[in-house]
């Protein structure tokens, strides 16, 4: 099951690269914020349909959850605006490697301290080496 989930997140990462490639030209045509709005509008409509047909009807109330858990709703559009603005200027590869470097760096901190309700996963040498390789990739792509 773990291997399947790893393949699934790799596919999700590939989807983000495609999304970045779509957002740049869309943002240049309709504006960065309108492009972001369109991505979230289409995503919200699709999610609503999926919820309508596949979500359990007796799940806990969305409004009963702690407010801090809704921060993703603020962070998501910021992320998409960054993709929309950065991709045409620095390219998809540089944008995605930069995003990946930031994600891995912050993820190591979140895992290490068990922040946001996640289990503790200590930073070890292998994780630091992985981050160094990602930073090296960022530097190499930036120079190329």
């Amino acid at each position: 099951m773990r291997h399947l989930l790893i393949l699934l997140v790799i596919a999700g990462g590939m989807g983000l690269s495609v999304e970045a490639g779509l957002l740049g030209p869309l943002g240049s045509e309709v504006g960065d914020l309108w492009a972001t709005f369109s991505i979230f509008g289409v995503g919200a409509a699709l999610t609503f349909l999926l919820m309508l047909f596949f979500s359990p009807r007796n799940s806990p109330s969305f409004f009963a959850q702690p407010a801090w858990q809704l921060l993703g709703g603020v962070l998501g559009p910021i992320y998409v605006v960054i993709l929309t603005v950065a991709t045409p200027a620095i390219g998809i590869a540089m944008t995605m490697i930069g995003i990946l470097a930031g994600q891995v760096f912050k993820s190591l901190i979140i895992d290490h301290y068990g922040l946001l309700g996640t289990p503790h996963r200590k930073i070890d040498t292998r994780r630091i080496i992985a981050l160094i390789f990602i930073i090296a990739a960022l530097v190499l792509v930036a120079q190329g």
Side-chain angles (χ1 to χ4, degrees):
M1 182 63 163
R2 180 181 167 113
H3 289 69
L4 179 62
L5 290 174
I6 291 170
L7 290 174
L8 189 61
V9 297
I10 290 170
M14 290 177 180
L16 288 177
S17 295
V18 172
E19 182 180 45
L22 295 172
L23 281 167
L26 182 60
S28 67
E29 291 293 321
V30 301
D32 299 331
L33 296 178
W34 281 104
T36 300
F37 180 75
S38 71
I39 292 295
F40 280 95
V42 170
L46 177 59
T47 302
F48 175 75
L49 290 174
L50 291 171
M51 286 171 43
L52 193 62
F53 294 107
F54 299 108
S55 182
R57 302 282 190 244
N58 58 352
S59 58
S61 171
F62 174 78
F63 298 103
Q65 306 310 309
W68 65 268
Q69 289 182 341
L70 303 178
L71 282 177
V74 174
L75 298 174
I78 293 169
Y79 167 76
V80 173
V81 169
I82 290 169
L83 284 182
T84 305
V85 172
T87 301
I90 62 175
I92 295 171
M94 188 69 193
T95 301
M96 289 291 109
I97 294 171
I99 292 284
L100 178 63
Q103 287 175 331
V104 171
F105 175 74
K106 191 63 174 184
S107 298
L108 288 175
I109 293 169
I110 291 170
D111 276 352
H112 183 75
Y113 292 106
L115 302 175
L116 308 174
T118 63
H120 290 267
R121 291 180 177 89
K122 296 291 182 192
I123 294 177
D124 59 14
T125 306
R126 289 181 183 182
R127 290 174 179 233
I128 296 296
I129 291 170
L131 179 60
I132 290 168
F133 277 124
I134 293 168
I135 293 169
L138 184 63
V139 170
L140 289 172
V141 171
Q143 291 175 348

